[in-house]
């Protein structure tokens, strides 16, 4: 497909920002009857111009030969490729500076496919804790059934203090994957991506090149760019900020062509790709990504300050409240472009207090998930992280009174009024 003209990144010497490119990048209207917007290619299969072309497309798709200069893979079948996914993957890559990407049917499809693409029986995976509950379950309960050893370490502590213990638990096993989530769900504890990239290299001695995978769902793709700090792959639940309206489920993995190759190949054979309609919805969402995430972050700052001053709130965990002198402050300054819009806070009265608060909310909805236009609140201890045993929850900083709040685009004074009246119920 002659797409090159629609993949320009600059006007003369002026480099264009991702938010300016979201409306047209990678799409040639002349290939679609002049439609200004990319249509939904709701088709399972694609017609080849002739048998020779079909053969050439398969040769490239299955890696049977190298592409000739200027040759692009043709469209074959929607489990392998589809214009809505290809254009979306090109656009997603612009935010993170990635060469290649793959969109999935869910964040968990993205995570499980990326992990299975690299791990083999007998290997170990090193990972930060806490992680999103589903990822934690996959690593601790599913991967061990395939002979993979899980070696966790706490987020929020310097890797230099933990390295010897991690090495002892890894033993002589290969470590093809170091997996982190930063900031962590739900505590907002941070992991230093550059430090972890350096540490991952030292594990290479065991016989595999460790790939550093970063779940960037909480801050990305606007406020944090892990590939620039040494990560190999960046992973998203696109259900969250990228989709942004709590009306779809999707995931994404991005990185270099080389690091993405096994992930894309396994996606084809596991069939974990997103469908065209979801791809189209995500492209539409990307047009407003920066506006949405900026508005949510501004609202979150007001809400975090209000909660921080409230007598019934014991502690607030929000990146925007970290001050100089805190060991996490230099990490925040180095790797985050903003504090995002997720707040965890501990109310008085443990689980009963948290439940009274959640049951009293009127504007803010009681629901899991995050990153949508509407504000959502939930209780990690009994909901998203209920799979983590209570003693491990405490070790990870997930207290019985903890509430996780995802701040939306409503008026901040309305949000504060709702938070205030619900805190009265605590
Ligand atoms: C940080 C994080 N990663 C991954 C996931 C899983 O994504 P999905 O629900 O789209 O499968 C979630 C879901 O809540 C999440 O919060």
């Amino acid at each position: 497909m002659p797409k090159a003209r629609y993949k320009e990144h600059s006007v003369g010497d002026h480099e264009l920002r991702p938010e300016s490119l979201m409306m047209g990048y990678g799409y040639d209207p002349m290939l679609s009857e002049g439609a200004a917007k990319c249509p939904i290619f709701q088709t399972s299969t694609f017609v080849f111009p002739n048998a020779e072309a079909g053969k050439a497309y398969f040769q490239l798709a299955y890696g049977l030969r190298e592409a000739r200069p200027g040759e692009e893979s043709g469209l074959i079948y929607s489990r392998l490729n589809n214009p809505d996914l290809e254009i979306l993957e090109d656009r997603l890559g612009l935010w993170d500076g990635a060469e290649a990407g793959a969109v999935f049917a869910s964040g968990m499809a993205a995570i499980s496919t990326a992990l299975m693409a690299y791990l083999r029986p007998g290997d170990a995976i090193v990972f930060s804790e806490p992680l999103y509950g589903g990822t934690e379950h996959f690593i601790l309960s599913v991967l061990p059934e395939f002979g993979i050893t899980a070696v966790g370490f706490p987020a929020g502590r310097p890797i230099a203090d933990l390295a010897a213990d991690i090495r002892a638990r890894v033993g002589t096993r290969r470590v093809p994957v170091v997996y982190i989530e930063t900031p962590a769900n739900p505590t907002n504890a941070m992991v230093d991506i550059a430090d972890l990239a350096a540490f991952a290299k030292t594990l290479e001695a065991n016989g595999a090149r460790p790939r550093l995978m970063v779940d960037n769902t909480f801050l990305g793709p606007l406020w944090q760019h892990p590939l620039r700090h040494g990560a190999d792959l960046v992973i998203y639940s696109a259900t969250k900020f990228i989709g942004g309206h709590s009306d779809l489920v999707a995931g994404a993995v991005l990185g270099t062509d080389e690091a993405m190759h096994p992930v894309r190949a396994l996606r084809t054979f596991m069939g974990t790709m997103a469908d065209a309609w979801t791809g189209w919805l995500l492209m539409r969402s990307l047009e407003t990504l920066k506006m949405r995430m900026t508005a949510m972050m501004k609202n979150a700052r007001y809400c975090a300050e209000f909660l921080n001053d409230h007598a019934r709130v014991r502690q607030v965990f929000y990146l925007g409240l970290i001050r100089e002198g805190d060991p996490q402050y230099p990490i925040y300054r180095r790797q985050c472009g903003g504090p995002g819009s997720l707040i965890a806070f501990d109310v008085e009265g443990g689980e009963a207090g948290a439940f009274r608060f959640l049951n009293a909310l009127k504007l803010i909805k009681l629901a899991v998930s995050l990153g949508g236009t509407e504000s959502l609140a939930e209780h990690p201890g009994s909901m998203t992280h209920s799979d983590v045993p209570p003693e491990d929850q405490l070790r990870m900083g997930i207290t019985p009174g903890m509430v996780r709040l995802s701040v939306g685009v409503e008026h901040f004074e309305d949000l504060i009024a709702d938070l205030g009246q619900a805190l009265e119920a605590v």
Side-chain angles (χ1 to χ4, degrees), residues 42 48 54 97 99 124 143 164 182 299 330-331 333 358 373 380 392 398:
Q42 190 70 39
F48 305 137
E99 278 173 17
L143 288 180
T182 182
N299 279 351
I331 306 176
R333 290 305 300 255
L358 290 168
T373 43
D392 289 341
I398 305 171

Side-chain angles (χ1 to χ4, degrees), residues 1-3 6 26-35 39 41 75 83 87:
M1 280 202 285
K3 276 197 281 193
Y6 298 94
Y27 170 64
D28 179 352
M30 293 311 142
L31 293 175
S32 296
E33 311 267 4
F41 288 87
L75 294 161
I87 297 168

Side-chain angles (χ1 to χ4, degrees), residues 104-111 131-135 179 181-185 215-218 235-240 248-251 342 368-370 384-385 404:
F104 289 84
S106 69
M108 283 312 301
I111 292 164
L131 292 176
Y132 163 65
T135 314
Y179 188 96
E181 195 176 288
T182 182
N185 181 359
D215 184 329
N216 200 34
T217 299
F218 260 39
I235 300 184
Y236 290 102
S237 166
T239 312
K240 313 296 193 268
L248 61 83
V249 176
L342 282 149
V368 297
S369 203
L370 53 101
T384 43
H385 293 71
R404 188 187 74 190

